Each structure stands twice: as structure tokens, then as C-alpha cells.
Amino acid sequence: MNPNPRTGRHVTGLAGNPMTKVLPGQLSLFDDLDAEVAPLPGPQTAAPSLYDSPSRGLVARTAEVEAWRARYGNWSSIRRSHAWEVHITCPDTPTARCQPTVLSADLRCDCLDNCCCVGDLLYRGACRGCDWEGEPRNQENAAVEDACDHAWPGWRDLPVVPRVPEDRKRHGAWVDRVATHYPTKWLTDGGPIRTRRSGLATRHVPGRTPFGGYDLAAEDPADAAASSTPHDGDPPAQRDS
Ligand SMILES: [Zn+2]
Ligand SMILES: [Zn+2]
């Protein structure tokens, strides 16, 4: 208790006064005044970007972004942290062998107008079985291909095969047919397949084989040549690339 000796009340305007003493647990008016002068550590300025973090691998990335959220909050954390996280719909479960997945980092801004940011949504291949990560890419498919180069080298030479039937009862026959054209245990170990696609359906889709492998789009060369002309019906079932 250090009231002004003359008035018996606390006074303002004496910040930095060495005579000021504050008991433990007592609010110091003078400390508050100092804080108003110093720049406020608001979340916008204090929260660091994780984009250039040296962390690699899903485990380290997840731990890092969880620590970031615990400290700086969950709101809009994907944009505020610019962290590399497993991209939406892409698999994040650990695997015994190397298996592909994709991380994305959001560099887009929240400017309302007069924006001259170069931000974008970026992708990079990653592995669920080890800490490998690929280089940042502008397209998700390119990141998937990097990850398949890592986990399933040789996938580019695979023959294009029929799409996986929607009807699960036909999966057995599909597996029997495709396995004869693919390396031994490729399918059952969760390896990717290549299927002919066209139009807008050219995304590399995770988890689409009966064993959880990627379905990689092999764009029809004729489709590219025909430009915007849509195809009627399915393309030929089996064609070598
Ligand atoms: Zn790996
Ligand atoms: Zn902007």
C-alpha cells in the first residue's frame, strides 16, 4: 500500500517513479501505463509464420501447429500460421511402408481491397511412413506425383487400367484383372493405379483402390487435342500409355 503521502490516494502520471512499490498481487497503475506505451503484442503481429519451418514429416508438423494453436488461438489458424498441414481429404494415418499424401499451406491473404499480395494455396508431397517431403508445388496433382515418385517409383510406367467398380461385389474380379498387369503385391500393398480421365475429372484421388491406393489420372492425349469437346461414355478400358 503506497498511497500518495499527501492525498492518501494513488496518483497517475508517475510512470517510472523509482519510489513506486507494488505489493505482490497488487495491480500497478504504473506498469499499466508502461504497457500502453509499448507496442501491444496482438495476435496479428505476434503469431509467427510456420511456412518456412525446418520441421519435416507429419508427426513434427502436427506437433508444431498444435503448439502454435495453443499459443496463438484456433481462429483462422490455417491462414494465420501458413503451416504445412495434410491437405483436406488426403490421408494422414501413419503407415508401415512409405505411402504418399499431400500437404498444403495457405498463403492467401485477408485483404479487402488494394491487395498486391502474391499469396496462393501451395502443395507439397509428403510421406506417411517417413519424414520425406517434396518441393512446394502450385498444383495438388504435381505434389501427388512427387510423393508417388518417393513411395512408388516406377508408377509412371504402369499401364492404364479400368476404373475401380463402384459395386464392391465386383472388386474381386477387378483386382484379379489388374493384378496381372501390375508388379507383384503392388495393389495389395496400397500402390497407386493409373486410370484414363478427361474433362474436369483429372484429380489424383487418394484411397480409391480396394487397398487404399491413389487413383492417378492419366489424361487422354486425344482429350487435350480435342480441347473442350466433352466425351460421351467411358474411354476404352485398357490402353497402354
Ligand atoms: Zn517415405
Ligand atoms: Zn492481400
Side-chain angles (χ1 to χ4, degrees):
M1 309 228 185
N2 292 282
N4 181 293
R6 286 177 294 167
T7 65
R9 292 181 301 169
H10 286 284
V11 292
T12 58
L14 295 173
N17 184 341
M19 298 302 287
T20 302
K21 285 185 181 174
V22 179
L23 294 177
Q26 181 182 10
L27 179 66
S28 164
L29 291 173
F30 309 118
D31 284 351
D32 278 2
L33 289 174
D34 287 342
E36 282 180 57
V37 175
L40 287 172
Q44 293 280 13
T45 54
S49 168
L50 295 179
Y51 178 79
D52 285 326
S53 162
S55 296
R56 291 294 180 275
L58 269 53
V59 173
R61 294 281 192 190
T62 300
E64 186 174 60
V65 77
E66 282 180 357
W68 190 98
R69 288 195 173 106
R71 182 163 185 185
Y72 302 107
N74 281 317
W75 59 273
S76 195
S77 62
I78 292 176
R79 288 203 180 188
R80 288 165 58 226
S81 70
H82 307 307
W84 287 101
E85 297 190 83
V86 175
H87 188 54
I88 186 167
T89 77
C90 293
D92 60 357
T93 49
T95 49
R97 82 182 299 290
C98 288
Q99 291 284 14
T101 191
V102 169
L103 309 179
S104 60
D106 197 337
L107 301 186
R108 295 172 294 188
C109 66
D110 292 319
C111 303
L112 294 177
D113 49 27
N114 297 325
C115 174
C116 52
C117 304
V118 293
D120 208 344
L121 190 61
L122 294 180
Y123 306 86
R124 76 193 309 167
C127 183
R128 296 150 65 196
C130 75
D131 289 342
W132 174 90
E133 292 182 9
E135 293 299 311
R137 301 286 201 166
N138 289 316
Q139 302 291 331
E140 181 184 1
N141 272 14
V144 172
E145 291 168 15
D146 289 343
C148 286
D149 284 341
H150 163 76
W152 293 96
W155 68 269
R156 293 171 190 273
D157 300 323
L158 295 173
V160 173
V161 297
R163 296 175 195 179
V164 179
E166 304 245 334
D167 182 358
R168 287 180 169 273
K169 283 178 283 191
R170 293 170 57 203
H171 279 187
W174 179 91
V175 170
D176 289 345
R177 181 178 175 190
V178 171
T180 61
H181 298 281
Y182 273 40
T184 305
K185 294 187 69 183
W186 184 281
L187 286 179
T188 52
D189 282 350
I193 60 170
R194 298 177 69 227
T195 61
R196 186 70 68 202
R197 313 274 195 84
S198 60
L200 297 176
T202 53
R203 183 187 177 221
H204 296 331
V205 182
R208 205 187 240 179
T209 81
F211 307 99
Y214 258 92
D215 180 353
L216 304 173
E219 283 195 64
D220 193 334
D223 191 50
S227 158
S228 59
T229 306
H231 285 252
D232 284 331
D234 279 350
Q238 187 129 16
R239 286 163 54 176
D240 289 338
S241 53

